[in-house]
Amino acid sequence: MNEEEETLYNPRDFEPFAVTVDLAVFTVRESRLHVLLIRRGQDPYAGAWALPGGFILPRESAETAARRELAEETGLSQESAAALHLEQLRTYSEPDRDPRMRVVSVAYTALVPGLPEPRGGGDAAHAQWMPVGGVPALAFDHARIITDAQERVRAKLEYTCLATAFCPPEFTLGELQQVYETVWGVALDRPNFRRKVLASPGFVEPVEGAPRRTGGRGKPAALHRAGNATTLHPPLLRPERRSEGERSE
């Protein structure tokens, strides 16, 4: 910007707007994908369910605000909130998405195992884990954010080894498959899934010793533990994604 442009710039020529953060945090509980929601304690949408989030303070970054709001509204400790691996999802900037004023939101998402029961705090009257399939009507455009975030975490299981974090330290391939089926929302072919997992270098490694039975009349199921890889090569694609790739070839 040169000197002439500086003299032409007047902040009052631009309508002010606020910037917020929203968080779509998922986990797996009782073989179902859950999302963390809060019940709003203030207008607008007082009493409605929504994602945790709030306004970015003047001296905060978006990520700092996201972790602060998560701790304040759900009762998670500052340490737990700080340790979460949050991914920036996208920016939501439709002009009428908030009835108070023009508000632009930076959304974050995470798929995390072992998070504790939340409790309401700040301007959230209540907080809880809710099955994704049973989410009620949400405030603002948060239903759209959840849909976008769910697609992101589903894709994350295609190219990372994150699914093993939702299994016991020693697990069967059937237990690992159940994590994929829960997050992806599809049934998988067992032999095909097993073949792809075992063909992925460093994804899982066998546990020496006696295998654990699956129950019923099936043969003993071998135990595995997480390997040392963090990414999958090649990726473990969802059935519909494979079909799309085959059609495009």
Side-chain angles (χ1 to χ4, degrees):
M1 181 180 293
N2 58 39
E3 184 176 345
E4 181 180 356
E5 289 174 326
E6 289 179 356
T7 60
L8 295 176
Y9 172 72
N10 186 345
R12 290 189 295 272
D13 292 338
F14 300 90
E15 181 180 348
F17 64 91
V19 183
T20 63
V21 289
D22 290 304
L23 296 108
V25 180
F26 298 91
T27 194
V28 174
R29 290 188 162 205
E30 300 176 349
S31 300
R32 299 177 72 184
L33 185 65
H34 286 64
V35 64
L36 185 58
L37 296 179
I38 60 102
R39 190 183 288 277
R40 289 182 58 81
Q42 299 177 4
D43 285 327
Y45 302 107
W49 289 100
L51 294 171
F55 290 93
I56 299 176
L57 300 179
R59 303 301 299 175
E60 279 184 321
S61 68
E63 184 171 336
T64 299
R67 297 183 188 280
R68 174 183 56 78
E69 287 286 350
L70 187 62
E72 289 178 358
E73 293 195 342
T74 67
L76 293 178
S77 67
Q78 294 286 349
E79 292 77 14
S80 296
L84 288 184
H85 177 66
L86 296 177
E87 289 189 17
Q88 191 173 128
L89 177 62
R90 58 170 295 180
T91 299
Y92 295 83
S93 58
E94 292 301 317
D96 300 321
R97 58 181 305 275
D98 192 307
R100 292 167 291 189
M101 63 180 297
R102 179 73 187 273
V103 175
V104 174
S105 181
V106 181
Y108 288 84
T109 189
L111 176 63
V112 187
L115 289 178
E117 289 294 336
R119 64 180 188 277
D123 58 2
H126 180 66
Q128 74 176 65
W129 292 106
M130 193 170 293
V132 169
V135 170
L138 299 178
F140 307 106
D141 53 357
H142 290 184
R144 178 188 175 191
I145 296 175
I146 286 180
T147 298
D148 293 344
Q150 189 175 4
E151 178 60 26
R152 172 69 66 85
V153 300
R154 283 173 169 171
K156 193 171 182 66
L157 259 61
E158 294 183 333
Y159 59 86
T160 75
C161 301
L162 177 61
T164 59
F166 294 88
C167 294
E170 297 180 355
F171 52 86
T172 67
L173 295 186
E175 289 171 325
L176 181 63
Q177 178 175 332
Q178 187 176 49
V179 175
Y180 275 90
E181 291 179 334
T182 297
V183 177
W184 284 354
V186 296
L188 300 173
D189 179 74
R190 183 175 179 179
N192 192 41
F193 177 81
R194 177 185 177 89
R195 176 178 59 81
K196 288 180 176 295
V197 168
L198 296 180
S200 299
F203 190 6
V204 299
E205 56 185 41
V207 175
E208 299 297 331
R212 183 175 64 189
R213 287 192 174 273
T214 59
R217 299 180 180 180
K219 65 179 182 179
L223 291 175
H224 294 78
R225 63 170 63 94
N228 56 14
T230 56
T231 58
L232 297 177
H233 300 288
L236 189 63
L237 298 180
R238 284 169 281 171
E240 63 269 28
R241 292 285 291 276
R242 288 203 305 273
S243 298
E244 291 170 2
E246 291 165 358
R247 286 195 299 270
S248 65
E249 291 177 358

